[in-house]
Amino acid sequence: MSNVLRFTCTHMYRHQLMFRGNIKIYRYITFLMLPSPPVLREIVADTELNVEGLIEGMTYIFRVNIADLRVPPGPPTCRVANTTDHSIDVEWDPPADNGGGEIMGYQVDKAMVGSKDWSRSTERLWKSRAFTVFGVREGAKYQVRVIACNTAGEGTPGFTEAVFVRNPAEKPVIEMELAIKAGVFIRAGENLRLPATVTGKPYPSIEWTIEDSKPDKDRVEILTEGNDSIVSIKNIQRKDSGKYHISVCNPSGIKNASTRVEVMDVPGPVTDLKPVVVTRKMIFLNWDDPDDDGGSDLIGFIVERRDIKMHTWRQPVETASSKCECVGIMEGQEYMFRVIAKNKFGLGPPVELGPIKAVDPQGPPSYPEKFHYTERTKNSVTFTWKPPRNDGGSPVIGYFIEKKRQDEPAFVLHNKDICPSMTMTVEGLEEDWPYEFRIKCANLMGESEPSIPLNVHMLKHFKGDSIIVKKGEPIEIPADIIGLPIPTIEWTKDDVLIAESTEAQVIETEVTGRLNARTKLSIPSANRRDRGCFTVTASNNMGSAHHTISVMVLDRPVPPRNLTVSNIRAESCYLHWDAPLDNGGSELTNYIVEKRDVMTDQPELEEGQEAPPEPQWVEVNSSVIDRKFGVWNLETNKSYLFRVKAQNRYGISDPCTTEEVMINDPFGLPGPPEKPTIAEYSKTTMTLSWEPPRDTGGSMIVGYWLEKREKGSEYWAKVNKMPVTKRGMKGWEYQVVRLIEGTEYEFRVAASNSAGTGPFSAPSDSAFAVDPITPPSMPAAPEVVDKTKHSVTLAWTPPEKDGGSPVKGYIIEIQDEGSSGWQRVNDVDSLIPTTEFTMPSLRELKRYYFRVIAVNDIGESDPSPRTTEVLVQDVQLIPAINIDMMVDDLLYVRAGDAFKIPATIKGRPTPKVTWEFTGKAKSHKKNKLHTLPVDSEVRPPKASSPHSQTQSPIQATPVICGRVLWVSA
């Protein structure tokens, strides 16, 4: 109360925003109280009231009550969330004004647009703020209102927008992860899971196809998880690769999406495996790539073979191409072969072939290879080729070429006589006509199939200002001259004036008019000297003109030069020569090498007996490309003559001949090396060593060849691809790899010198390809971990390798100062089982060295490195104290609680430990060492290491604060 006067007073009360339940206070009611009922009752909104009309001297009592003035709430904010063909989904937010009371629920009404007939859809107050209105007609337009209710009643309604009753229409949408859109790569055998998220209203129908076909229901499962449609394939296979397409459809449209799945696997089996060539020394296999490469590029093939009598596949050969030449076979033996394709994911299934018997076949040869033309003119084409891959078991005796003009129906044979060389010029062709040519070869068994036809279009004779003729053909170079006055005409060859006409070069000039003249240079029979540039020049007082023609005369080459013989051996020699100075205007195609025996002794002839025929030149090789050639299969101590001819498309040159050459070998073959020994072996390798042969054949040994075989087999297989030429640290040795574990092998070795490879040695002792058991490797150097004045404690780490047998124990060796010998502390019968040992009974202040030997069932290892010099004496350490407690644990301890102070003591010799207490508590001497409170105790120490001991914690029940404890060592 304030301002109390005779007739008035001011009544103030504290305003505080309060809630009674959920009803907000908006007004206050003030009562004037007397001993009798109140005479004043007024509703005010303020927290202060001036009361008038009071009686002086009268005592009044005032009180204030709260007035409850709640009103209906405001309108909610409404919206249509969704529609179907028979319902409307409505959502709303609560009203901004709740009318001063709690919202108890909502009522929902509906009405058709244009009508004021609202019908209630809720049967009771609806608590949530979402409702589905039913009882509506499809296609009609409706409006919905929502009314909030509190204790004061229904509030103002909130209205939605008008909406048609029908199903929502959304076009279908397909969503795939970017990683799936870009394509899926998966290994065969894994599980494929291909999800696609599909949305749309109404929800679309879904159809999956694989490579435009319906999925196999037995293997492909279509799953639906929410809006995700998932293709699931367990244990996916290569055939499942392809385009995966999803199509979704609803009344609003159609949507498509696709991705590609690549299933990666090992390649399939190779196809069309067959032997192309079978001889007694070689079998040539050919095949086609697998139909299925496994989704990855092939990186090669593995070819294996086995004897028909054996069960193990051997001698794998890797090749990048789809063919393989299998050598090192035995004549008459039957073999099985298999080929495996390989990609980066592994090896495919093998394809087997056989059995195939290694014998020379008899039959017509295959067709020649690399058939092509090297030069062509207006009426001729020069061809060259390579021999057939298979001669049919009989030498090829010659070749036939067939031709066919474009307008002719069939091929006709060009050469009736067989062509023995590998080049031929086909003449008599018609200018500017397309021709087809093919070639076939023949042996004594018959003719081969013709090669693939080769198309050739004939050239015109003159192209530009160039004339090309063969030797002996005529040349005519006509020229028309125009000028006034008639020009003076001159012919030059290579800038040299042709002064007058000769029989070899005929010049004819004729004036045909006042302005015209004609001249012609003719060469009746061209030769190589006529090649060059011919120029005709016309000049008068008005000027000059000239024109140049290039003439090329083609002929056979001149002979090769500087033919020499070198590297003469018992059955061979090497020829070297230089190219001809003139190749005849055409590239050399090959050289022809021939030999002839030289008769040194003429036999005496009896009367009437005819002299033996003179030795004839024998062709050694007619397809030599390089300017060197090795002649083999000569007879020792016999004289020969050799000659070489050069050949181009126009003929063969005259020969270049050597002088008489005696064939003899200054060296012989080396003898067999000593029997090889197997120095080391494992489950996949063996190391061989051997001694050189006693007889080197007079020539330095240039290498060694090794062969292996399984114990009991007769087939020796070559081990090294290149001869062993470098001596090892311990002598001649070689490591054989890629052996089969558990197989017993034998080996032999042969030496090679300049004369050839000598006989093989006797077979080595057999050995199995298994890992050997050896003594362990040496342990690490021991370390000193402790010592006293009479002992040393050592520790070491075990050896890295136990040699295939567990380490049983260790032997300790000791060496005195100044001594060179080692003494064993223990022997094999008393091994030390651990890696730590204390050496007792040593002399004080004496110096020693120590080392360790590991032992297993096979034997002893090499000794470890020795220790550094060890002086036998006590180790002395200054005492150190460590109290393992936090400071806060000691500062504040509740009265009546026990506490412990653990202390770790270090030092050598063992320190003397005492505890001392300073404080108000009653103390006394304990164990004649420690000054501590009466209710405390000291536990005896426990040694934790040779250099430390732990003082057991003090236990006490403190009764006062301010005590101080000291520990000293």
Side-chain angles (χ1 to χ4, degrees):
M1 301 294 292
S2 62
N3 299 327
V4 180
L5 302 177
R6 295 175 59 191
F7 305 107
T8 65
C9 71
T10 301
H11 180 206
M12 294 188 298
Y13 39 92
R14 185 179 180 183
H15 173 78
Q16 184 173 6
L17 183 63
M18 301 177 62
F19 291 88
R20 183 170 299 167
N22 287 329
I23 302 173
K24 190 174 182 179
I25 298 173
Y26 285 95
R27 301 287 189 270
Y28 299 91
I29 303 176
T30 303
F31 296 92
L32 173 62
M33 303 294 296
L34 296 172
S36 59
V39 297
L40 175 65
R41 187 174 188 269
E42 185 174 351
I43 298 176
V44 296
D46 202 355
T47 58
E48 182 176 330
L49 177 66
N50 186 27
V51 182
E52 297 179 353
L54 302 180
I55 300 173
E56 182 179 1
M58 180 69 69
T59 300
Y60 294 91
I61 300 174
F62 297 89
R63 71 179 184 185
V64 179
N65 285 346
I66 298 172
D68 186 2
L69 301 178
R70 287 172 290 187
V71 297
T77 303
C78 307
R79 59 189 173 274
V80 175
N82 197 10
T83 64
T84 67
D85 58 355
H86 60 279
S87 66
I88 302 174
D89 293 336
V90 183
E91 295 177 352
W92 58 89
D93 296 328
D97 181 11
N98 64 0
E102 179 185 3
I103 301 297
M104 302 174 62
Y106 300 89
Q107 298 287 358
V108 179
D109 298 338
K110 66 178 182 293
M112 193 176 298
V113 174
S115 171
K116 296 183 179 180
D117 184 13
W118 290 92
S119 61
R120 181 140 293 180
S121 298
T122 50
E123 297 179 356
R124 63 183 183 278
L125 286 178
W126 194 255
K127 298 295 184 180
S128 64
R129 297 198 299 273
F131 185 76
T132 300
V133 178
F134 294 97
V136 292
R137 191 173 67 222
E138 183 179 3
K141 193 173 184 181
Y142 283 85
Q143 191 174 23
V144 180
R145 68 183 185 185
V146 179
I147 304 169
C149 302
N150 64 7
T151 54
E154 295 184 356
T156 306
F159 295 89
T160 67
E161 295 182 356
V163 63
F164 286 98
V165 179
R166 59 190 175 191
N167 283 322
E170 291 184 10
K171 292 184 178 181
V173 177
I174 303 175
E175 294 182 359
M176 285 186 174
E177 297 179 2
L178 291 178
I180 295 177
K181 283 185 179 180
V184 178
F185 293 86
I186 186 172
R187 284 292 302 272
E190 297 181 356
N191 297 334
L192 174 67
R193 185 177 174 88
L194 203 65
T197 302
V198 180
T199 56
K201 293 185 179 180
Y203 193 76
S205 60
I206 302 174
E207 181 181 8
W208 284 90
T209 59
I210 303 176
E211 285 294 321
D212 299 329
S213 300
K214 291 185 178 180
D216 184 2
K217 294 182 179 179
D218 295 335
R219 298 192 63 254
V220 182
E221 187 177 3
I222 308 297
L223 305 177
T224 300
E225 296 180 1
N227 287 338
D228 289 346
S229 180
I230 303 170
V231 174
S232 175
I233 303 178
K234 295 182 179 179
N235 190 21
I236 195 167
Q237 301 173 10
R238 276 284 295 162
K239 64 181 182 180
D240 297 320
S241 298
K243 177 182 177 183
Y244 283 63
H245 182 83
I246 180 174
S247 177
V248 299
C249 175
N250 69 4
S252 299
I254 299 175
K255 189 69 174 179
N256 299 289
S258 62
T259 186
R260 186 153 194 91
V261 175
E262 292 292 342
V263 183
M264 319 303 288
D265 199 1
V266 298
V270 300
T271 58
D272 197 22
L273 174 61
K274 59 187 176 182
V276 179
V277 180
V278 179
T279 68
R280 68 180 186 276
K281 297 182 179 180
M282 179 269 292
I283 297 176
F284 194 94
L285 303 179
N286 197 0
W287 60 88
D288 292 335
D289 290 347
D291 294 333
D292 181 12
D293 62 2
S296 174
D297 292 337
L298 298 178
I299 60 177
F301 302 89
I302 296 178
V303 182
E304 296 178 320
R305 73 182 185 209
R306 67 176 175 87
D307 193 314
I308 194 66
K309 300 177 182 178
M310 307 293 289
H311 298 286
T312 305
W313 294 94
R314 305 187 184 283
Q315 297 181 327
V317 176
E318 290 198 22
T319 175
S321 59
S322 56
K323 59 184 178 181
C324 181
E325 182 178 352
C326 304
V327 296
I329 59 180
M330 299 180 64
E331 183 178 1
Q333 188 69 45
E334 289 186 313
Y335 293 91
M336 293 289 295
F337 295 89
R338 70 178 183 184
V339 179
I340 306 169
K342 181 180 180 182
N343 65 7
K344 68 178 182 180
F345 297 104
L347 302 178
V351 176
E352 296 187 8
L353 176 68
I356 301 175
K357 192 171 186 179
V359 294
D360 286 333
Q362 295 290 327
S366 59
Y367 60 81
E369 298 186 347
K370 297 184 179 180
F371 178 56
H372 64 283
Y373 70 88
T374 56
E375 293 190 21
R376 53 180 172 163
T377 66
K378 68 174 183 177
N379 57 5
S380 67
V381 181
T382 300
F383 294 97
T384 186
W385 58 87
K386 296 294 182 183
R389 184 175 299 184
N390 181 13
D391 63 3
S394 177
V396 174
I397 59 177
Y399 303 88
F400 295 98
I401 290 182
E402 296 177 338
K403 64 181 180 181
K404 181 173 76 71
R405 204 171 70 178
Q406 187 180 37
D407 60 339
E408 294 177 348
F411 282 90
V412 296
L413 186 65
H414 170 71
N415 57 317
K416 296 182 179 180
D417 297 329
I418 193 167
C419 174
S421 64
M422 284 182 290
T423 182
M424 179 187 292
T425 299
V426 178
E427 299 179 337
L429 304 175
E430 296 189 25
E431 182 179 354
D432 205 27
W433 269 98
Y435 279 84
E436 286 186 90
F437 298 90
R438 65 187 187 184
I439 187 171
K440 57 185 179 180
C441 58
N443 62 7
L444 296 178
M445 303 301 296
E447 296 182 357
S448 71
E449 293 292 327
S451 67
I452 299 173
L454 177 67
N455 295 314
V456 180
H457 193 284
M458 301 308 300
L459 296 175
K460 291 186 178 181
H461 186 62
F462 296 102
K463 291 192 69 174
D465 294 326
S466 177
I467 299 175
I468 301 175
V469 297
K470 291 183 182 179
K471 178 184 177 183
E473 293 183 353
I475 298 175
E476 291 184 356
I477 307 177
D480 292 330
I481 310 298
I482 299 175
L484 186 68
I486 294 298
T488 301
I489 300 172
E490 293 179 343
W491 286 91
T492 59
K493 176 179 180 293
D494 296 333
D495 297 331
V496 177
L497 179 64
I498 303 175
E500 58 183 9
S501 178
T502 62
E503 293 183 359
Q505 295 178 342
V506 180
I507 299 176
E508 299 177 7
T509 302
E510 177 185 3
V511 177
T512 58
R514 189 171 70 90
L515 300 176
N516 304 93
R518 179 174 294 172
T519 182
K520 180 174 69 173
L521 187 145
S522 302
I523 301 175
S525 179
N527 56 48
R528 287 286 291 167
R529 293 189 302 275
D530 295 322
R531 71 184 187 276
C533 293
F534 289 84
T535 303
V536 57
T537 304
S539 58
N540 60 14
N541 56 6
M542 299 299 294
S544 65
H546 67 274
H547 195 88
T548 301
I549 301 295
S550 174
V551 174
M552 172 57 70
V553 180
L554 303 175
D555 193 7
R556 63 175 185 156
V558 299
R561 302 170 294 126
N562 304 327
L563 177 59
T564 59
V565 183
S566 63
N567 201 17
I568 300 174
R569 294 292 180 264
E571 297 179 352
S572 65
C573 66
Y574 269 86
L575 306 180
H576 297 264
W577 62 90
D578 294 333
L581 292 175
D582 183 6
N583 62 4
S586 176
E587 293 291 334
L588 298 179
T589 57
N590 58 282
Y591 293 95
I592 300 173
V593 179
E594 296 177 339
K595 69 177 180 179
R596 192 184 76 179
D597 298 344
V598 177
M599 296 182 62
T600 55
D601 298 330
Q602 295 290 339
E604 296 182 0
L605 302 178
E606 298 180 358
E607 185 176 354
Q609 185 179 3
E610 294 183 359
E614 289 289 331
Q616 300 297 316
W617 286 98
V618 178
E619 184 180 283
V620 178
N621 195 300
S622 62
S623 58
V624 180
I625 303 301
D626 296 330
R627 295 193 300 275
K628 59 183 179 180
F629 185 73
V631 183
W632 303 88
N633 299 324
L634 302 177
E635 296 184 22
T636 308
N637 299 324
K638 192 172 184 179
S639 297
Y640 290 89
L641 290 175
F642 300 95
R643 70 182 187 184
V644 177
K645 303 175 186 178
Q647 184 175 6
N648 64 9
R649 56 171 291 189
Y650 300 106
I652 300 173
S653 71
D654 293 331
C656 177
T657 308
T658 66
E659 296 181 354
E660 181 179 330
V661 178
M662 173 66 72
I663 301 301
N664 53 23
D665 193 347
F667 308 116
L669 295 176
E674 297 295 327
K675 174 181 175 180
T677 58
I678 300 175
E680 297 178 1
Y681 60 90
S682 69
K683 63 182 180 181
T684 57
T685 64
M686 290 189 185
T687 301
L688 306 178
S689 62
W690 64 91
E691 295 296 329
R694 298 179 181 178
D695 180 13
T696 64
S699 176
M700 182 179 66
I701 301 297
V702 297
Y704 294 91
W705 295 96
L706 290 90
E707 291 184 346
K708 67 179 179 182
R709 72 175 179 185
E710 294 183 10
K711 179 72 172 179
S713 173
E714 297 181 356
Y715 174 70
W716 287 93
K718 184 176 290 187
V719 170
N720 48 329
K721 296 181 179 179
M722 299 295 293
V724 181
T725 57
K726 293 185 179 180
R727 183 183 178 91
M729 296 293 293
K730 300 180 181 179
W732 288 101
E733 58 184 11
Y734 183 79
Q735 187 181 50
V736 183
V737 297
R738 300 178 68 178
L739 300 178
I740 301 173
E741 185 177 1
T743 304
E744 189 175 9
Y745 289 95
E746 293 178 328
F747 302 90
R748 66 181 185 181
V749 61
S752 177
N753 64 6
S754 58
T757 302
F760 279 91
S761 67
S764 67
D765 294 333
S766 62
F768 286 92
V770 293
D771 283 332
I773 300 177
T774 61
S777 60
M778 71 172 66
E783 297 179 355
V784 177
V785 297
D786 190 24
K787 58 183 179 178
T788 67
K789 62 182 178 180
H790 296 299
S791 66
V792 173
T793 301
L794 304 173
W796 59 91
T797 57
E800 293 183 359
K801 299 179 180 179
D802 62 4
S805 176
V807 175
K808 298 166 54 179
Y810 300 91
I811 298 174
I812 308 296
E813 291 187 341
I814 185 172
Q815 184 184 57
D816 293 342
E817 180 184 15
S819 173
S820 60
W822 289 88
Q823 297 180 356
R824 293 196 170 188
V825 176
N826 60 314
D827 53 20
V828 178
D829 296 331
S830 57
L831 296 175
I832 299 171
T834 64
T835 56
E836 186 171 329
F837 178 72
T838 300
M839 182 74 66
S841 304
L842 299 178
R843 295 178 58 186
E844 187 178 6
L845 299 179
K846 192 170 182 180
R847 302 178 188 273
Y848 296 93
Y849 296 96
F850 301 94
R851 66 184 186 184
V852 182
I853 299 172
V855 182
N856 65 5
D857 287 334
I858 301 302
E860 301 176 3
S861 71
D862 293 332
S864 70
R866 70 179 187 178
T867 62
T868 57
E869 189 177 66
V870 180
L871 177 63
V872 179
Q873 64 179 4
D874 266 335
V875 177
Q876 295 185 355
L877 295 176
I878 298 175
I881 302 173
N882 180 32
I883 296 180
D884 188 16
M885 290 189 69
M886 301 295 292
V887 175
D888 292 343
D889 295 337
L890 299 177
L891 290 178
Y892 304 102
V893 181
R894 187 173 181 179
D897 289 349
F899 67 89
K900 298 179 182 180
I901 304 177
T904 301
I905 312 299
K906 295 183 179 180
R908 289 286 294 273
T910 303
K912 177 182 178 182
V913 181
T914 60
W915 287 87
E916 184 178 351
F917 166 74
T918 302
K920 297 180 179 180
K922 185 178 181 180
S923 62
H924 70 293
K925 283 282 187 178
K926 288 186 180 290
N927 301 331
K928 299 181 180 181
L929 291 174
H930 314 292
T931 302
L932 295 172
V934 175
D935 55 351
S936 64
E937 65 179 20
V938 178
R939 294 182 181 177
K942 294 181 181 179
S944 59
S945 73
H947 306 289
S948 66
Q949 65 180 16
T950 302
Q951 184 71 38
S952 294
I954 295 176
Q955 294 185 353
T957 304
V959 295
I960 60 173
C961 296
R963 295 185 300 178
V964 180
L965 288 172
W966 296 91
V967 59
S968 62

